Amino acid sequence: MASDVILIGERSEIKPRPRKESRGIGLGRFALVTITFFTFAFLYVPIAILIAFSFNSARTGATWQSFSLQWYERVFSNARILEAAANSLIVATLATIGSVIIGTLMAMAMERYQFRAKLAWDALLYLPVIVPEIVMGISLLIFFAAINLSRGIVTLVISHIAFCMPFVYLTMRARLADFDKSLEEAAQDLGADEWTTFRRITLPLLMPGIISSALLAFTLSLDDFVISFFVTGVGSQTLPVYIWGQIRRGITPEINAISTLMLLLSIALVIITQLIQRRQRA
Amino acid sequence: MRLAGLMAPGAFWLFVFFFVPLLIMAGISFLSRDRLGFPTPPLTLQNYWEIVRDIRFAPSISLAGGLTIRLFEGLYLELFWRSIWLSLLSTLITLFIAFPVALFMARLPSRYRNLALFLVMIPFWTNFLVRTYALQFMLRGNGPINTLLSALGLEPIDLLFTPAAIMLGLVYGNLPFMILPLYTSLEKFDWTMIEAANDLGADMLRAFQRVMLPLISPGLLAGSILTFVPAIGSYITVELMGGGRTNLIGYAIAQQFSASVNWPFGSAMSLLMMIIVTFRCGALLPQRSRGISQRSLRRRGRTWLRMSS
Amino acid sequence: MNRRSFLRLGLGLTGSTALLAACGGAPASPQPQGEQTPTTNTAPESLAKELTWYNWGNYIADSVLEKFKAEFGVTVKVDVYGSNEEMEAKFKAGGNPGYGLITPSDYMVSKMIAADLLEKINFDRISNFKHIDDSHKRLYFDPTNEYSVAYNWGCTGFAYDKTKLPEPITNWKQVTNWPEALRGKLGMLDDVRELLAVGLRVLGYSGNATDPAEINAARDLLINLKRQANYTLTDSPSAATNIVAGDVFATQIYTNDAVNARRENPNVVYFIPGDVSTIWQDNLCVPKGAPSRYTAEVFIDFLCRPEIAAENANEIGLGTPNVTALKQGLIAPELAEDKAVYPDVAALGNALEFLKKGDPQVDELYQRAFDEIKTA
């Protein structure tokens, strides 16, 4: 089982030996490409199915009948579903921003400083990931009721930040573990103050990690159902909550249609942010 | 103090919106249930007793569906055990698929890397339920896989509503959680270390084992935990892909909060589940706080890896 | 002559606060504790601008909501839930978040009455109540009929693909002898009580049995059936999808989903087995803490108009309790003549049982038996 890994120091035993030609590399590369290709295919086939069914005239997702745009028409005349979709996007965006900021700060603190409670915090910070969502959802509901905070977008964003932040933290810590501080030190030797160092050296170097954790947070928030269900209020239902509510009485390919639309919107959002970033760099 | 400034928002958020609610839940697990299934005093250990009361020592060996050797018997014991095994297995499979992909992505020219990241995440911007229904359809008797098989003249396979389908669903859903952290670690990996190891006479396998593995272990760890834990809790995927034929602990807990309202009991199960999972992941923690880095490795020049299960 | 009750616990939010809460604004007291807050209830004839309805998914025709808005100027906003327990959990743990109307099933109504979560309805304002058939009034969950108005009802029956089974099925007892050759092709409902009701009734007990011995006997029967037939346990709409796709050949299923399945696969036969079946009824209720009880009552009255009830029922495909609508021929013939949608209740007699949940001791027994079946 590869799930446990323990690192201990030991004496190295590598003796000098004649260098062998690694014939394996070519084969390895081919295997890599193939596996990656099939994995992406595996990831996308259900998506293709999902999109295809949004154009299916049949009601259940069992058979294909004929091409039809009726579900898209129904989506656009269904105020509830549109509102739910909008709620989802708003909450996801806000939660991503919040959790990336907080999570990155936290990761920096934990990685770069030594303090007494550090070991305890290290352990504690794994807990959020371990708690089952339903537990978190219900306890948050009770909590919000106890402090008299009315349920709605605010409680949604708060809760989403709460469960996204640990994921950001873990990803950023993995990234920070090998951060080369000498670059920062060099900048400071050259006279840059802390903020400039952070902005010009640290941040760009952390960018790949920030992007992947932002993506993670956005995805988690957009798709969250269990926690959202419990902390949502009147009129602030997110899309997953809405869709789940439809299940018991029968779903229609409307949900395929709105899902496709959301997908396109999310992609557009990300492309826009990328373009903005590129412009900033240039 | 800058440390406090950095820690404060995260610590606050965690404490207020996570630990406090968790304490509430722990408290509930020691309460009794009222007529409607909601928590009410008096305090009691009944909930925990209910989980363990039927555990008895009853060794048995069965060959149905693979070799099963059982030492203890008990309804919830069975549930916990099955869930942990299934999740571990799915984590392993996910790792084997994710690693080559993350490797491939990390070695792409840097201008394509972000694109690759997006391509990995995009499928997960569709709604989870709709996506799972699509996964279901993929495996159906009249779905694309079987249609393809028939076209090739092969026998259609009955995949849906089997444990294999569950595994498929779990791996599918957790792939990005394994790929992303692995990619993050691999992306900053210094490949010259491998060359150095080769120059010292190690072949690829040894170089991998002794040089690469320790250095990417933070990502490996993060990915494994981020995959294993959701796998244990994910009951919707399990239900939809498995057709309700396999019962797992996540579903049993959800039932206590929905169909059959018994919050104290559900809380007790959740707490127990969290403790077990924490212990499982707990062995990994000492390594984390040591923070091995490439530079310290060069300085020390020695590494050692032991895999244990 | 008004039965406006000024109960201490929870007359709660004023209309404006509720609207603010709906916009995610000012924090509102979720569980009013014995305040006599002035509410719009005291202003006799004023309708609120908005009525928020916590309802099942796909459970109201949009055209009906539009008509209501056109006539009364009130926008009805619908939030959806998927199960009674979800709704109950939200209300109990955090109080009424601001909904003015809810649609609990029969057993949930009695639970909520017991927990003091429902307002009494002023039936003086619901003159159209007379159109509801008497068989849907004064039922076990609301014997004095002060808290609920019947909305929809349906049954749990059995559907099968007649081209896939060697011989037609006529009762559940037959199903329990599922042939080996068809292993893996049977579907059951993933519902604690519905599943166990099958075992109980086939053995001759009531679906509401409370004797652990009976429940355990039913459990054992179902475990054996699982070993024999390896049935799936899914929700009803999934059962419909499964039978249309051919992944199961027969399944336990709710009426409305069976009707949908039939529309897509004409080979599907649906019937209400004479030895085991449950009946359920969804009701309109006004929760405590509703911003405007008056608006809710006006809306309920509107829904009870025969032509409106018919329009709704035709769209949703479930049975309406509005007997006038039936008599006036307003229900679409496809549904009105379908014995599955409008079964002959009198003829089925004892077969149709309401599943009464709510006694914690008993519920625990059932839940445990269900867990054991599922884990087997």
PDB file of all heavy atoms in Angstrom, chain C residues 247-268:
ATOM      1  N   ASP C 247     -31.806  -1.675 -17.717  1.00  0.00           N
ATOM      2  CA  ASP C 247     -30.866  -2.220 -16.745  1.00  0.00           C
ATOM      3  C   ASP C 247     -31.580  -2.996 -15.650  1.00  0.00           C
ATOM      4  O   ASP C 247     -30.963  -3.803 -14.960  1.00  0.00           O
ATOM      5  CB  ASP C 247     -30.035  -1.082 -16.132  1.00  0.00           C
ATOM      6  CG  ASP C 247     -29.031  -0.563 -17.141  1.00  0.00           C
ATOM      7  OD1 ASP C 247     -28.192  -1.354 -17.582  1.00  0.00           O
ATOM      8  OD2 ASP C 247     -29.112   0.627 -17.477  1.00  0.00           O
ATOM      9  N   VAL C 248     -32.848  -2.693 -15.433  1.00  0.00           N
ATOM     10  CA  VAL C 248     -33.662  -3.607 -14.634  1.00  0.00           C
ATOM     11  C   VAL C 248     -34.906  -3.930 -15.458  1.00  0.00           C
ATOM     12  O   VAL C 248     -35.300  -3.162 -16.329  1.00  0.00           O
ATOM     13  CB  VAL C 248     -34.079  -3.029 -13.260  1.00  0.00           C
ATOM     14  CG1 VAL C 248     -32.890  -2.666 -12.441  1.00  0.00           C
ATOM     15  CG2 VAL C 248     -35.021  -1.874 -13.429  1.00  0.00           C
ATOM     16  N   PHE C 249     -35.479  -5.066 -15.177  1.00  0.00           N
ATOM     17  CA  PHE C 249     -36.667  -5.460 -15.926  1.00  0.00           C
ATOM     18  C   PHE C 249     -37.934  -5.178 -15.144  1.00  0.00           C
ATOM     19  O   PHE C 249     -39.018  -5.168 -15.691  1.00  0.00           O
ATOM     20  CB  PHE C 249     -36.619  -6.946 -16.272  1.00  0.00           C
ATOM     21  CG  PHE C 249     -35.499  -7.310 -17.206  1.00  0.00           C
ATOM     22  CD1 PHE C 249     -35.051  -8.613 -17.274  1.00  0.00           C
ATOM     23  CD2 PHE C 249     -34.896  -6.372 -18.006  1.00  0.00           C
ATOM     24  CE1 PHE C 249     -34.020  -8.968 -18.142  1.00  0.00           C
ATOM     25  CE2 PHE C 249     -33.868  -6.703 -18.871  1.00  0.00           C
ATOM     26  CZ  PHE C 249     -33.426  -8.011 -18.939  1.00  0.00           C
ATOM     27  N   ALA C 250     -37.809  -4.963 -13.844  1.00  0.00           N
ATOM     28  CA  ALA C 250     -38.990  -4.726 -13.016  1.00  0.00           C
ATOM     29  C   ALA C 250     -38.562  -3.958 -11.783  1.00  0.00           C
ATOM     30  O   ALA C 250     -37.443  -4.106 -11.310  1.00  0.00           O
ATOM     31  CB  ALA C 250     -39.608  -6.059 -12.593  1.00  0.00           C
ATOM     32  N   THR C 251     -39.451  -3.134 -11.272  1.00  0.00           N
ATOM     33  CA  THR C 251     -39.052  -2.339 -10.117  1.00  0.00           C
ATOM     34  C   THR C 251     -40.233  -1.813  -9.315  1.00  0.00           C
ATOM     35  O   THR C 251     -41.321  -1.592  -9.848  1.00  0.00           O
ATOM     36  CB  THR C 251     -38.182  -1.150 -10.578  1.00  0.00           C
ATOM     37  OG1 THR C 251     -37.809  -0.381  -9.445  1.00  0.00           O
ATOM     38  CG2 THR C 251     -38.929  -0.264 -11.553  1.00  0.00           C
ATOM     39  N   GLN C 252     -39.976  -1.614  -8.044  1.00  0.00           N
ATOM     40  CA  GLN C 252     -40.889  -0.874  -7.185  1.00  0.00           C
ATOM     41  C   GLN C 252     -40.751   0.593  -7.569  1.00  0.00           C
ATOM     42  O   GLN C 252     -39.639   1.057  -7.846  1.00  0.00           O
ATOM     43  CB  GLN C 252     -40.450  -1.085  -5.724  1.00  0.00           C
ATOM     44  CG  GLN C 252     -41.421  -0.628  -4.684  1.00  0.00           C
ATOM     45  CD  GLN C 252     -40.846  -0.802  -3.278  1.00  0.00           C
ATOM     46  OE1 GLN C 252     -39.635  -0.899  -3.092  1.00  0.00           O
ATOM     47  NE2 GLN C 252     -41.701  -0.844  -2.275  1.00  0.00           N
ATOM     48  N   ILE C 253     -41.844   1.326  -7.611  1.00  0.00           N
ATOM     49  CA  ILE C 253     -41.720   2.681  -8.143  1.00  0.00           C
ATOM     50  C   ILE C 253     -42.935   3.515  -7.763  1.00  0.00           C
ATOM     51  O   ILE C 253     -44.011   2.982  -7.503  1.00  0.00           O
ATOM     52  CB  ILE C 253     -41.578   2.612  -9.687  1.00  0.00           C
ATOM     53  CG1 ILE C 253     -41.132   3.949 -10.272  1.00  0.00           C
ATOM     54  CG2 ILE C 253     -42.859   2.137 -10.343  1.00  0.00           C
ATOM     55  CD1 ILE C 253     -40.764   3.852 -11.739  1.00  0.00           C
ATOM     56  N   TYR C 254     -42.765   4.831  -7.703  1.00  0.00           N
ATOM     57  CA  TYR C 254     -43.896   5.708  -7.440  1.00  0.00           C
ATOM     58  C   TYR C 254     -44.706   5.935  -8.717  1.00  0.00           C
ATOM     59  O   TYR C 254     -44.181   5.840  -9.819  1.00  0.00           O
ATOM     60  CB  TYR C 254     -43.441   7.074  -6.926  1.00  0.00           C
ATOM     61  CG  TYR C 254     -42.772   7.059  -5.575  1.00  0.00           C
ATOM     62  CD1 TYR C 254     -41.701   7.885  -5.304  1.00  0.00           C
ATOM     63  CD2 TYR C 254     -43.232   6.227  -4.546  1.00  0.00           C
ATOM     64  CE1 TYR C 254     -41.093   7.898  -4.077  1.00  0.00           C
ATOM     65  CE2 TYR C 254     -42.611   6.225  -3.315  1.00  0.00           C
ATOM     66  CZ  TYR C 254     -41.547   7.056  -3.078  1.00  0.00           C
ATOM     67  OH  TYR C 254     -40.932   7.064  -1.861  1.00  0.00           O
ATOM     68  N   THR C 255     -45.951   6.309  -8.556  1.00  0.00           N
ATOM     69  CA  THR C 255     -46.860   6.473  -9.692  1.00  0.00           C
ATOM     70  C   THR C 255     -46.342   7.444 -10.744  1.00  0.00           C
ATOM     71  O   THR C 255     -46.258   7.109 -11.923  1.00  0.00           O
ATOM     72  CB  THR C 255     -48.225   6.958  -9.202  1.00  0.00           C
ATOM     73  OG1 THR C 255     -48.771   5.988  -8.316  1.00  0.00           O
ATOM     74  CG2 THR C 255     -49.167   7.165 -10.371  1.00  0.00           C
ATOM     75  N   ASN C 256     -45.980   8.652 -10.311  1.00  0.00           N
ATOM     76  CA  ASN C 256     -45.616   9.655 -11.306  1.00  0.00           C
ATOM     77  C   ASN C 256     -44.382   9.236 -12.115  1.00  0.00           C
ATOM     78  O   ASN C 256     -44.303   9.484 -13.318  1.00  0.00           O
ATOM     79  CB  ASN C 256     -45.385  11.025 -10.656  1.00  0.00           C
ATOM     80  CG  ASN C 256     -44.506  10.920  -9.442  1.00  0.00           C
ATOM     81  OD1 ASN C 256     -44.530   9.939  -8.726  1.00  0.00           O
ATOM     82  ND2 ASN C 256     -43.704  11.941  -9.205  1.00  0.00           N
ATOM     83  N   ASP C 257     -43.427   8.585 -11.469  1.00  0.00           N
ATOM     84  CA  ASP C 257     -42.254   8.139 -12.212  1.00  0.00           C
ATOM     85  C   ASP C 257     -42.612   7.005 -13.159  1.00  0.00           C
ATOM     86  O   ASP C 257     -42.061   6.899 -14.257  1.00  0.00           O
ATOM     87  CB  ASP C 257     -41.161   7.697 -11.242  1.00  0.00           C
ATOM     88  CG  ASP C 257     -40.694   8.855 -10.394  1.00  0.00           C
ATOM     89  OD1 ASP C 257     -40.273   9.867 -10.981  1.00  0.00           O
ATOM     90  OD2 ASP C 257     -40.759   8.755  -9.155  1.00  0.00           O
ATOM     91  N   ALA C 258     -43.538   6.162 -12.740  1.00  0.00           N
ATOM     92  CA  ALA C 258     -43.957   5.074 -13.617  1.00  0.00           C
ATOM     93  C   ALA C 258     -44.628   5.630 -14.872  1.00  0.00           C
ATOM     94  O   ALA C 258     -44.408   5.146 -15.981  1.00  0.00           O
ATOM     95  CB  ALA C 258     -44.909   4.142 -12.875  1.00  0.00           C
ATOM     96  N   VAL C 259     -45.435   6.667 -14.661  1.00  0.00           N
ATOM     97  CA  VAL C 259     -46.097   7.280 -15.814  1.00  0.00           C
ATOM     98  C   VAL C 259     -45.057   7.817 -16.794  1.00  0.00           C
ATOM     99  O   VAL C 259     -45.162   7.636 -18.012  1.00  0.00           O
ATOM    100  CB  VAL C 259     -47.054   8.401 -15.337  1.00  0.00           C
ATOM    101  CG1 VAL C 259     -47.544   9.215 -16.500  1.00  0.00           C
ATOM    102  CG2 VAL C 259     -48.218   7.797 -14.581  1.00  0.00           C
ATOM    103  N   ASN C 260     -44.033   8.466 -16.259  1.00  0.00           N
ATOM    104  CA  ASN C 260     -42.955   8.964 -17.115  1.00  0.00           C
ATOM    105  C   ASN C 260     -42.255   7.837 -17.856  1.00  0.00           C
ATOM    106  O   ASN C 260     -41.967   7.943 -19.051  1.00  0.00           O
ATOM    107  CB  ASN C 260     -41.930   9.728 -16.283  1.00  0.00           C
ATOM    108  CG  ASN C 260     -42.401  11.126 -15.964  1.00  0.00           C
ATOM    109  OD1 ASN C 260     -43.219  11.689 -16.679  1.00  0.00           O
ATOM    110  ND2 ASN C 260     -41.899  11.673 -14.876  1.00  0.00           N
ATOM    111  N   ALA C 261     -41.972   6.758 -17.128  1.00  0.00           N
ATOM    112  CA  ALA C 261     -41.287   5.634 -17.760  1.00  0.00           C
ATOM    113  C   ALA C 261     -42.134   5.070 -18.891  1.00  0.00           C
ATOM    114  O   ALA C 261     -41.634   4.749 -19.972  1.00  0.00           O
ATOM    115  CB  ALA C 261     -40.999   4.551 -16.719  1.00  0.00           C
ATOM    116  N   ARG C 262     -43.424   4.986 -18.624  1.00  0.00           N
ATOM    117  CA  ARG C 262     -44.325   4.430 -19.629  1.00  0.00           C
ATOM    118  C   ARG C 262     -44.345   5.276 -20.885  1.00  0.00           C
ATOM    119  O   ARG C 262     -44.442   4.763 -21.996  1.00  0.00           O
ATOM    120  CB  ARG C 262     -45.735   4.347 -19.047  1.00  0.00           C
ATOM    121  CG  ARG C 262     -46.320   2.983 -19.144  1.00  0.00           C
ATOM    122  CD  ARG C 262     -47.641   2.870 -18.489  1.00  0.00           C
ATOM    123  NE  ARG C 262     -48.335   4.117 -18.316  1.00  0.00           N
ATOM    124  CZ  ARG C 262     -49.381   4.241 -17.516  1.00  0.00           C
ATOM    125  NH1 ARG C 262     -49.817   3.173 -16.851  1.00  0.00           N
ATOM    126  NH2 ARG C 262     -49.983   5.388 -17.383  1.00  0.00           N
ATOM    127  N   ARG C 263     -44.253   6.592 -20.667  1.00  0.00           N
ATOM    128  CA  ARG C 263     -44.285   7.477 -21.835  1.00  0.00           C
ATOM    129  C   ARG C 263     -43.093   7.206 -22.740  1.00  0.00           C
ATOM    130  O   ARG C 263     -43.193   7.352 -23.957  1.00  0.00           O
ATOM    131  CB  ARG C 263     -44.266   8.942 -21.389  1.00  0.00           C
ATOM    132  CG  ARG C 263     -45.598   9.426 -20.883  1.00  0.00           C
ATOM    133  CD  ARG C 263     -45.557  10.911 -20.536  1.00  0.00           C
ATOM    134  NE  ARG C 263     -46.833  11.304 -19.923  1.00  0.00           N
ATOM    135  CZ  ARG C 263     -46.954  12.211 -18.969  1.00  0.00           C
ATOM    136  NH1 ARG C 263     -45.892  12.829 -18.517  1.00  0.00           N
ATOM    137  NH2 ARG C 263     -48.137  12.519 -18.472  1.00  0.00           N
ATOM    138  N   GLU C 264     -41.961   6.839 -22.150  1.00  0.00           N
ATOM    139  CA  GLU C 264     -40.791   6.629 -22.994  1.00  0.00           C
ATOM    140  C   GLU C 264     -40.614   5.211 -23.460  1.00  0.00           C
ATOM    141  O   GLU C 264     -39.942   4.957 -24.452  1.00  0.00           O
ATOM    142  CB  GLU C 264     -39.550   7.064 -22.234  1.00  0.00           C
ATOM    143  CG  GLU C 264     -39.328   8.536 -22.416  1.00  0.00           C
ATOM    144  CD  GLU C 264     -38.045   8.978 -21.821  1.00  0.00           C
ATOM    145  OE1 GLU C 264     -37.026   8.336 -22.120  1.00  0.00           O
ATOM    146  OE2 GLU C 264     -38.058   9.940 -21.044  1.00  0.00           O
ATOM    147  N   ASN C 265     -41.153   4.269 -22.706  1.00  0.00           N
ATOM    148  CA  ASN C 265     -41.043   2.877 -23.111  1.00  0.00           C
ATOM    149  C   ASN C 265     -42.413   2.242 -22.963  1.00  0.00           C
ATOM    150  O   ASN C 265     -42.786   1.820 -21.866  1.00  0.00           O
ATOM    151  CB  ASN C 265     -40.011   2.158 -22.247  1.00  0.00           C
ATOM    152  CG  ASN C 265     -39.831   0.710 -22.674  1.00  0.00           C
ATOM    153  OD1 ASN C 265     -40.597   0.192 -23.486  1.00  0.00           O
ATOM    154  ND2 ASN C 265     -38.827   0.065 -22.124  1.00  0.00           N
ATOM    155  N   PRO C 266     -43.160   2.186 -24.048  1.00  0.00           N
ATOM    156  CA  PRO C 266     -44.542   1.698 -23.968  1.00  0.00           C
ATOM    157  C   PRO C 266     -44.657   0.242 -23.518  1.00  0.00           C
ATOM    158  O   PRO C 266     -45.746  -0.211 -23.198  1.00  0.00           O
ATOM    159  CB  PRO C 266     -45.058   1.845 -25.414  1.00  0.00           C
ATOM    160  CG  PRO C 266     -44.089   2.729 -26.099  1.00  0.00           C
ATOM    161  CD  PRO C 266     -42.782   2.571 -25.413  1.00  0.00           C
ATOM    162  N   ASN C 267     -43.528  -0.442 -23.446  1.00  0.00           N
ATOM    163  CA  ASN C 267     -43.595  -1.829 -22.972  1.00  0.00           C
ATOM    164  C   ASN C 267     -43.706  -1.924 -21.458  1.00  0.00           C
ATOM    165  O   ASN C 267     -43.887  -3.009 -20.912  1.00  0.00           O
ATOM    166  CB  ASN C 267     -42.343  -2.598 -23.401  1.00  0.00           C
ATOM    167  CG  ASN C 267     -42.345  -2.854 -24.889  1.00  0.00           C
ATOM    168  OD1 ASN C 267     -43.398  -3.075 -25.475  1.00  0.00           O
ATOM    169  ND2 ASN C 267     -41.179  -2.808 -25.490  1.00  0.00           N
ATOM    170  N   VAL C 268     -43.572  -0.789 -20.800  1.00  0.00           N
ATOM    171  CA  VAL C 268     -43.613  -0.817 -19.344  1.00  0.00           C
ATOM    172  C   VAL C 268     -45.051  -0.880 -18.861  1.00  0.00           C
ATOM    173  O   VAL C 268     -45.895  -0.095 -19.268  1.00  0.00           O
ATOM    174  CB  VAL C 268     -42.918   0.437 -18.766  1.00  0.00           C
ATOM    175  CG1 VAL C 268     -43.146   0.532 -17.274  1.00  0.00           C
ATOM    176  CG2 VAL C 268     -41.439   0.399 -19.076  1.00  0.00           C
TER     177      VAL C 268
END
